[in-house]
Amino acid sequence: MSKPATALVVEWLDSLTHARRLSPHTVRAYAASLHSFVAFLVDHIGGPVNDGALAALTQNDFRAYLAHRRTDGLANISVAREVSALRSFFAWAARQHGIVCEGLAGLASPKIPRRVPRPVTPADAVALADGAGDTHDEAWIAARDTAVLLLLYGAGLRIAEALALTGAALPLGETLTVSGKRNKTRVVPLLAQVRAAIDAYVALCPYATGSALPLFRGARGGPLAPELVRRAMAAARTALGLPASATPHALRHSFATHLLARGADLRAIQELLGHASLSSTQIYTAVDAARLLDVYRDAHPRA
């Protein structure tokens, strides 16, 4: 008996959430891509979209869909994400339901130039953390924003990892256990300055810090929203005259770049960042090379 494509997509998304434990953000992006694809096919093939219709799709059908998406203004990087979502779905469909679609095999994904992260200097990283605190009248909120940004730079955390911390992390020691992507845990060292900033925030915070409660709180006591961290960073970089590339995630880039510049091993940086693949970490060698070229151009009389 044939199975509707919409039901297959729902089953696949469920497997991404519970079996593969992908982040909610990734699952939402994949859901948008596949629901858009199925909606396109309804008009494109002029009939019901079921497992048989999916298996019969040709490369021209996929190209028609991507061309349709480009009319929505999608850039190469977004089109590449669409292709990635389709490949993931059809690979799952082949494994779980025997739906083999030959049309996807030769579909090329647009080439995306790999962007080199733009780190901030160590002095600017600290100034941004301090400056974020200066934008608030309430002392505990100022201390909170400073603590979060210092944590991103001092330990190389993603925003989601920092905001997922609970009171179970207290009292702080020389290391911190972090739950990253796909619930993988890693242990990162905590600098004395970072511990002091978090302790100062906890001492001022008007809300309880129980082991099951969020460590970083919003003004009304709920979990701190990532957007509030980005706003605090934006206000601080504007006050300091820094470029828009100075984002909270740039602090994580800066953590890795500065460690590499001081001679840290690439494998060690991979572990600290929680990268599954070393190739994800190797981008920081390009960052360091770019910094050296800047120094060379500024200093060499013939540059």
Side-chain angles (χ1 to χ4, degrees):
M1 184 176 179
S2 65
K3 193 165 187 177
T6 50
L8 289 167
V9 170
V10 169
E11 185 182 338
W12 172 63
L13 293 172
D14 186 68
S15 75
L16 296 182
T17 301
H18 298 103
R20 293 184 58 189
R21 295 183 177 180
L22 297 188
S23 72
H25 175 77
T26 301
V27 174
R28 283 195 300 271
Y30 276 9
S33 294
L34 265 296
H35 287 312
S36 173
F37 178 64
V38 172
F40 167 80
L41 289 179
V42 171
D43 291 331
H44 180 67
I45 67 178
V49 185
N50 52 30
D51 48 7
L54 291 175
L57 293 174
T58 67
Q59 191 174 108
N60 285 338
D61 294 322
F62 288 105
R63 286 176 174 168
Y65 170 66
L66 296 180
H68 166 73
R69 294 294 283 140
R70 282 192 182 277
T71 63
D72 294 335
L74 262 65
N76 275 1
I77 190 169
S78 298
V79 173
R81 289 195 189 105
E82 295 282 315
V83 174
S84 176
L86 289 170
R87 284 178 176 157
S88 178
F89 169 73
F90 277 95
W92 169 87
R95 290 193 309 270
Q96 299 297 322
H97 295 280
I99 303 171
V100 179
C101 179
E102 300 292 344
L104 189 59
L107 188 68
S109 180
K111 290 186 178 180
I112 308 299
R114 197 166 192 184
R115 294 180 179 177
V116 176
R118 298 177 64 182
V120 298
T121 67
D124 283 343
V126 175
L128 281 164
D130 290 341
D134 291 341
T135 62
H136 294 287
D137 293 330
E138 291 193 62
W140 77 271
I141 293 181
R144 178 200 69 192
D145 289 352
T146 295
V148 171
L149 294 184
L150 280 180
L151 183 59
L152 300 185
Y153 174 63
L157 270 59
R158 303 176 177 92
I159 291 184
E161 292 170 345
L163 301 190
L165 293 173
T166 67
L170 303 174
L172 297 171
E174 293 186 350
T175 61
L176 180 68
T177 299
V178 179
S179 180
K181 290 185 175 180
R182 302 186 186 181
N183 289 338
K184 291 183 178 178
T185 60
R186 67 185 189 277
V187 176
V188 297
L190 274 185
L191 298 171
Q193 299 95 316
V194 177
R195 294 200 304 271
I198 297 175
D199 285 341
Y201 153 70
V202 171
L204 292 170
C205 181
Y207 301 106
T209 54
S211 61
L213 299 174
L215 177 59
F216 295 110
R217 302 296 196 93
R220 297 181 180 179
L224 178 60
E227 183 56 32
L228 294 179
V229 179
R230 296 188 184 97
R231 287 181 190 173
M233 183 83 163
R237 72 169 177 252
T238 299
L240 292 169
L242 295 176
S245 59
T247 63
H249 201 65
L251 295 178
R252 175 173 157 88
H253 292 318
S254 304
F255 164 83
T257 305
H258 299 162
L259 284 180
L260 184 65
R262 297 295 294 272
D265 178 75
L266 201 59
R267 287 282 183 187
I269 296 174
Q270 177 191 359
E271 292 295 324
L272 290 171
L273 291 174
H275 282 163
S277 169
L278 186 61
S279 63
S280 298
T281 314
Q282 285 173 332
I283 191 171
Y284 294 104
T285 61
V287 175
D288 198 46
R291 184 187 65 82
L292 290 174
L293 282 172
D294 286 342
V295 172
Y296 170 82
R297 293 190 186 103
D298 289 342
H300 197 285
R302 297 289 183 180

